Amino acid sequence: MADLIKRLWTAIVLVPILVVALFVDRSPWSILALSVLFGGLALDEYLRMALRPPKTPEPQVVSPPGPESIVPSELGLRAVIGLIGAAVVALPMVYGAGRVLPPLLMGSVIAIALVLLSRKHALEQAGRHMSVCLAALLYVPLMASVWPQIKHHFGPGWLFVTLAIAFLSDTGAYAFGRLWGKHKLYPAVSPGKTWEGSLGGIVGANVATLGFGSAFLLPELAVGHAIVLGVVGSLAGQVGDLFESMLKRSHGVKDSGNLLPGHGGMLDRVDALLFVGPVVYYFAANVVFAGRC
C-alpha cells in the first residue's frame, strides 16, 4: 500500500506537467526541455551503473547506485557525456536529424576520445569507459531524441499515443500477468514476466492506439494501422523493458535509481518509451504520412 501511495504521488506531480507540455503549450519547446531533462537523468543513471568497476565473481542485486558509489574522478566524465547527450536530444529537433546527427555523433566520438586521453589516472579503464560512453549515447539520448520530434512533426496527439502505448502496455502486461500468468517469458532476466503478461501488453497498447488514437486524437490513423502499431509498439516496449532488466542484473542493481518514489529511477520509468518512440515516429513518417513529410 505504501508503494502504491508513492506511485500515486509521483503521478500527481508528473501527469499535469506532461499535460501542459503536450496540449497547453502548442509549441514543441516544453516537450523538448522535458526530453532533455528526463533523458539526461536516465542517461546519468545508466552511467552510474555502468561506470562502476566490474564485480566478481557473480553480481548480486544491491541498492540503486548513488553518487557515493562512483569514484569522484568519474563525475567529470559523466558531466561531459551528459552535455553531449543533451545536444543529441535537442539539436536534431532544432536543425533536423538528417543534417545534425551524423556530425554530432562523429564529434561525440572525438570528444570522448579526448576526455579519456586526458584521464591519465584511469588509462587502464579507458577501453571499458569508451564502450560505456558510446553505448550510453546510443541507448538513451539518441532514442529519446524522437520524443520532441513526434510532437513537432505530427502533433501532440501522436506523442500522447506514444506515451499511452508504453504505459498501457506495461499496465496490461502487469494485469494479465497477475490474473493469468503461468508461463515464464524470460526468467533468466525477469523472473516475474510471463507470456500471458506479454499478451496483455499488446492488448493494452491497442487500447492506446485504437481508443486514444483512431477513435479520438488521431482520425488519420486507420484501424488496421492502429492495430499494427499497437502490436509492434508493445513488442518494442517489452524489449526495452527486458533490455533494461538485463542491464540492471548484469550490473548488480535492483533499480536504476531512486529518483521517482514507487517507480525507482528515471531509466526504470522510460525504458519502454525509449524503444516505443522510434517505432511510432518512423511508423507515422513512413506509413501514415508517407509522401507528406
Side-chain angles (χ1 to χ4, degrees), residues 99-116:
R99 178 183 179 186
V100 78
L101 266 182
L104 181 57
L105 291 176
M106 287 185 278
S108 299
V109 175
I110 296 172
I112 294 170
L114 287 172
V115 171
L116 294 178

Side-chain angles (χ1 to χ4, degrees), residues 170-243:
D170 184 58
T171 301
Y174 177 80
F176 273 52
R178 292 277 293 182
L179 292 171
W180 300 295
K182 292 182 180 179
H183 303 90
K184 298 297 183 182
L185 178 62
Y186 201 161
V189 168
S190 187
K193 289 183 171 57
T194 63
W195 284 102
E196 293 81 4
S198 179
L199 177 61
I202 294 174
V203 172
N206 272 276
V207 170
T209 56
L210 290 168
F212 291 117
S214 296
F216 183 39
L217 293 172
L218 308 177
E220 68 273 20
L221 181 62
V223 170
H225 287 164
I227 293 172
V228 173
L229 181 58
V231 172
V232 177
S234 176
L235 292 176
Q238 291 180 48
V239 171
D241 192 354
L242 284 170
F243 182 65

